[in-house]
Amino acid sequence: QVQLVESGGGLVQTGGSLRLSCAASGRAFSGSITGWFRRTPGKEREFVGSTNWSTGSTFHADSVKGRFTISRDNAKNTVYLQMNSLKPEDTAVYYCAAKRTPPLVSPTGYNYWGQGTQVTVSS
């Protein structure tokens, strides 16, 4: 069993920054992939990006590329989502999720999900 807990959400002004954390516990994460998703009411869940725990390889969706950066700290079993130059359209509940099956760029196959953390960007 894998447990994921997100933190770091909050209210920020346009152009500001936030860093979300996803703390993982439970079964060993070697070789697994952790992804970030977001959901806005009335819209489909959006895949933000992902990272491989073993290699550190990352993928970022075009909608956030250049503004958001995913990283991980293996010693802390934590994956981060650094969000810069935030826009009102980034307002959403952000979720981290984990899977063991590649590829990195696919939004499918995620078995474990956190509870989500709210990010609100004011204009």
Side-chain angles (χ1 to χ4, degrees), residues 13-93:
Q13 292 185 334
T14 296
S17 297
L18 280 175
R19 188 179 76 161
L20 305 184
S21 300
C22 173
S25 61
R27 295 173 58 186
F29 266 72
S30 177
S32 69
I33 294 169
T34 298
W36 284 98
F37 295 79
R38 62 186 181 185
R39 186 191 294 273
T40 302
K43 294 185 179 180
E44 290 188 1
R45 185 175 62 201
E46 181 183 5
F47 181 45
V48 175
S50 59
T51 185
N52 183 299
W53 277 94
S54 294
T55 66
S57 299
T58 58
F59 167 78
H60 299 82
D62 287 344
S63 59
V64 303
K65 195 173 294 183
R67 298 189 300 123
F68 291 11
T69 302
I70 296 172
S71 62
R72 92 266 189 254
D73 185 331
N74 288 38
K76 295 182 178 180
N77 276 358
T78 300
V79 172
Y80 302 100
L81 179 64
Q82 177 68 43
M83 305 185 295
N84 299 326
S85 303
L86 283 163
K87 307 174 182 179
E89 51 263 44
D90 294 318
T91 295
V93 178

